[in-house]
Amino acid sequence: MRRIVGIVLAVLLIGGVAAAVVAGRQNQGTSTATKTVRGVIGSEKAEFFSDPEVVKALAAKGFTVKAETSGSWAMEDLLLDGSDFAFPASKAPADGLVKKYKVQGGPLRPFYSPLVVVAHRSAAEVLAGNGLAVLDAKSRGTLRMDAYLDAARAKRTWQQLKGASDHTELTGTVFVTSTDPLASSSGALYLAAASYVADGGQVAVDDAAVARTAPLLKRLISVQGAQQPGSDAPFRDFISGVGNPLVLVYESQVASLLLRGEDTGDLVVLYPDTTVSSDHTLVPLTGNGRALGELLSTDTRLRELAVRHGFRPQGAAAEFTAATASLTAYLNQTLTGVRQAPVPTTEVLHAMARRARS
């Protein structure tokens, strides 16, 4: 009897070891994150990286991403020792980081998003009634940049626009709320687009070009008062119904909200007829940082999730178009009638922002 019991126990022990080995192999095949990648990102990408589905998709590829937010231009002043990547919202601040950290192989651009102006319906209709905008659909239109800049030069108020008297919330100077151009990419790109239009379709290349449009750009900034260092807070304020009725944001912020089916109230999306598409540019500071950038650019699941958060994947317009097919009342999927303004060099853009804020 003792021999039989011993044999049975031995068989069970061997079976248990075998089961543990098989389970270990299975766990290896479906392992979660094996390396932590640290970096700094623009605030407009915070929801993407905190999305549980994104976390899961990255873990399946062996990554845990720990990210802190910062204004894109402010990243150049941060101490990034120990970071694997920086992920500003556009190419210009990324170029500065590439130069500062002597990055080999260049940055990566997984996705992009054009800049748009969100407006409350009353404001959009008044702008359209005064030739400053054209409404193409119930909740989508075009901001006429020439006309808007003329209004800015003349210091036009809402009270001077016909139809505004029917809306008591429209008071004071007509202006677009933007972010701090010294800290944030979207604020700086707003100046780049305005400068391009104001200077007759010329991209600023030197101090003389900056000086020609500096008074207007200063007007666009000074009328706003205090500015935020990132685009997330102004957009949230707008959605909650506080603040200015015209706010510059990334299209991705609007598209993400719509794709989640959240209430947008009386939101109207105005695409400036001359704007800048913001290439969200990952600057790899280590090999792990570069591997993350490549994964975001090529992995099918992560590209799908980027679209869910409103971003347009580079070189794959069809993916964005398919995902937002039901949202054309708000989104200009093909950017019809929208001209892309060239972006000045990093040095010129810095000079433009300093003059506008002086």
Side-chain angles (χ1 to χ4, degrees):
M1 181 62 69
R2 289 175 179 168
R3 289 188 62 191
I4 292 173
V5 171
I7 292 171
V8 170
L9 290 174
V11 170
L12 291 173
L13 179 61
I14 293 170
V17 171
V21 171
V22 170
R25 287 173 179 169
Q26 288 176 340
N27 287 339
Q28 287 178 354
T30 59
S31 63
T32 55
T34 58
K35 50 183 170 287
T36 298
V37 184
R38 302 182 185 278
V40 58
I41 62 175
S43 64
E44 71 289 332
K45 292 183 284 290
E47 287 189 356
F48 172 76
F49 280 104
S50 64
D51 183 342
E53 290 298 315
V54 173
V55 172
K56 181 180 177 181
L58 288 168
K61 298 296 182 178
F63 289 88
T64 292
V65 175
K66 301 290 186 183
E68 297 181 358
T69 60
S70 166
S72 294
W73 282 111
M75 291 180 188
E76 196 168 337
D77 297 324
L78 297 177
L79 183 63
L80 296 181
D81 293 346
S83 296
D84 296 289
F85 70 96
F87 204 170
S90 66
K91 180 179 180 296
D95 286 345
L97 291 166
V98 168
K99 183 178 180 180
K100 179 177 179 178
Y101 291 97
K102 299 179 174 60
V103 175
Q104 301 298 313
L108 302 105
R109 301 181 182 89
F111 39 73
Y112 68 99
S113 183
L115 289 169
V116 300
V117 173
V118 290
H120 293 298
R121 187 174 308 281
S122 57
E125 290 176 349
V126 169
L127 291 179
N130 288 270
L132 278 72
V134 177
L135 296 182
D136 308 314
K138 180 181 179 182
S139 299
R140 187 193 73 230
T142 303
L143 179 68
R144 298 180 58 214
M145 284 293 285
D146 269 324
Y148 167 67
L149 294 179
D150 284 344
R153 288 188 188 93
K155 302 180 181 180
R156 298 278 294 278
T157 65
W158 287 104
Q159 293 91 327
Q160 293 173 322
L161 301 182
K162 63 181 181 182
S165 59
D166 296 331
H167 306 283
T168 57
E169 73 277 13
L170 298 179
T171 61
T173 306
V174 177
F175 69 91
V176 172
T177 292
S178 62
T179 53
D180 182 352
L182 291 174
S184 169
S185 177
S186 60
L189 294 179
Y190 173 51
L191 297 183
S195 170
Y196 181 77
V197 173
D199 207 18
Q202 298 184 74
V203 60
V205 295
D206 53 26
D207 289 340
V210 171
R212 282 196 297 273
T213 61
L216 173 61
L217 301 188
K218 185 172 182 177
R219 173 67 187 164
L220 295 177
I221 299 302
S222 63
V223 71
Q224 299 183 44
Q227 292 179 291
Q228 295 280 358
S231 61
D232 187 55
F235 182 61
R236 290 183 183 278
D237 286 346
F238 175 88
I239 293 299
S240 66
V242 300
N244 193 42
L246 303 173
V247 180
L248 184 82
V249 301
Y250 295 103
E251 179 198 56
S252 59
Q253 293 170 288
V254 180
S256 176
L257 194 75
L258 293 169
L259 287 165
R260 293 198 302 269
E262 295 190 19
D263 182 18
T264 57
D266 63 351
L267 176 145
V268 175
V269 186
L270 298 177
Y271 287 77
D273 57 14
T274 301
T275 189
V276 176
S277 281
S278 183
D279 290 324
H280 294 274
T281 306
L282 188 146
V283 179
L285 304 175
T286 67
N288 283 342
R290 180 167 294 281
L292 173 65
E294 292 172 348
L295 189 63
L296 292 172
S297 301
T298 60
D299 183 77
T300 302
R301 177 58 176 159
L302 286 168
R303 287 168 67 92
E304 175 188 327
L305 290 168
V307 170
R308 184 186 297 179
H309 283 270
F311 298 108
R312 296 176 181 244
Q314 292 284 4
E319 294 178 26
F320 181 85
T321 301
T324 60
S326 64
L327 304 176
T328 54
Y330 293 90
L331 304 179
N332 184 346
Q333 292 179 306
T334 59
L335 300 179
T336 302
V338 177
R339 179 173 57 167
Q340 293 294 317
V343 179
T345 64
T346 300
E347 292 75 17
V348 171
L349 204 51
H350 270 309
M352 193 178 288
R354 286 194 297 268
R355 290 287 294 271
R357 284 291 307 274
S358 64

